[in-house]
Amino acid sequence: MGIIKVLIIYEILGKPKEHIKDSLDQLIIEIGKNKGIKIITKKIHEPHPIEENKLNELKAQNIEGVETIFTTFAEVEMEIDSLELVFTLVINTLPSNIEIIEPTDFKLNNFLVNSLLNNITIKMHKYDELAKGFIFERNQLIKKLKELQIKHD
């Protein structure tokens, strides 16, 4: 199939602002160390405070210190050896956006499509398992809090 040229956007949220920029840069460096992935260009934008609507959303969740949370993003152009590697990269790094620049057309066989779909399915099952575990733990904590509240009253 040949080289696939992509433009990927990664976003990050956190604090302090210097740390999120460094973390994003480190992520891109680590991605570039993978066999079959070549970083062509990267542009990491300056961090800025989160937008008002996101700030209000976090405040509504009673999250402390949100006034000092920053966000930034990076635009990264890469050359990747295979479509399977593109899918693996997307599944493992969860970019905000991806645009395939070249080639404009793909010829796929069912073996490749099956492999890609199975990799996505495996990852989705792992996320589902984690989410169910977190929900179970949360429900257990709520139950214990209610029991403690009843004992206290």
Side-chain angles (χ1 to χ4, degrees):
M1 184 174 295
I3 298 292
I4 300 168
K5 186 184 261 188
V6 297
L7 178 63
I8 296 180
I9 296 177
Y10 289 103
E11 292 181 86
I12 191 169
L13 182 78
K15 62 182 180 177
K17 97 176 170 179
E18 299 78 20
H19 176 70
I20 64 170
K21 191 172 182 180
D22 291 343
S23 295
L24 199 49
D25 188 42
Q26 191 59 41
L27 171 69
I28 296 164
I29 289 168
E30 290 300 313
I31 290 169
K33 290 179 181 178
N34 286 286
K35 183 180 179 185
I37 299 176
K38 181 180 177 187
I39 306 295
I40 305 301
T41 62
K42 70 176 177 181
K43 180 178 182 182
I44 301 174
H45 296 265
E46 284 301 314
H48 58 84
I50 58 174
E51 294 176 4
E52 191 70 28
N53 60 345
K54 184 68 175 172
L55 179 63
N56 291 335
E57 185 181 307
L58 293 172
K59 282 182 180 178
Q61 297 175 26
N62 295 321
I63 298 174
E64 294 181 23
V66 293
E67 293 80 10
T68 58
I69 292 180
F70 291 84
T71 186
T72 190
F73 69 100
E75 298 170 271
V76 187
E77 188 175 325
M78 302 178 200
E79 289 181 348
I80 303 176
D81 285 355
S82 69
L83 189 58
E84 188 168 15
L85 191 51
V86 171
F87 272 76
T88 300
L89 179 68
V90 169
I91 288 169
N92 290 329
T93 63
L94 301 174
S96 300
N97 190 48
I98 180 166
E99 177 184 346
I100 295 176
I101 300 168
E102 294 175 357
T104 56
D105 296 311
F106 289 95
K107 182 176 180 181
L108 303 173
N109 62 46
N110 67 342
F111 178 78
L112 176 61
V113 174
N114 288 337
S115 175
L116 296 173
L117 290 172
N118 283 317
N119 288 340
I120 292 170
T121 301
I122 289 167
K123 193 69 162 187
M124 295 300 291
H125 279 289
K126 287 180 183 177
Y127 286 142
D128 184 57
E129 182 181 329
L130 284 172
K132 287 176 180 172
F134 290 140
I135 290 168
F136 176 77
E137 288 177 10
R138 183 202 67 184
N139 290 343
Q140 293 293 70
L141 288 171
I142 290 170
K143 181 180 174 184
K144 286 181 182 182
L145 284 172
K146 286 180 180 178
E147 289 171 0
L148 288 171
Q149 187 176 21
I150 290 170
K151 286 181 183 178
H152 184 272
D153 291 340

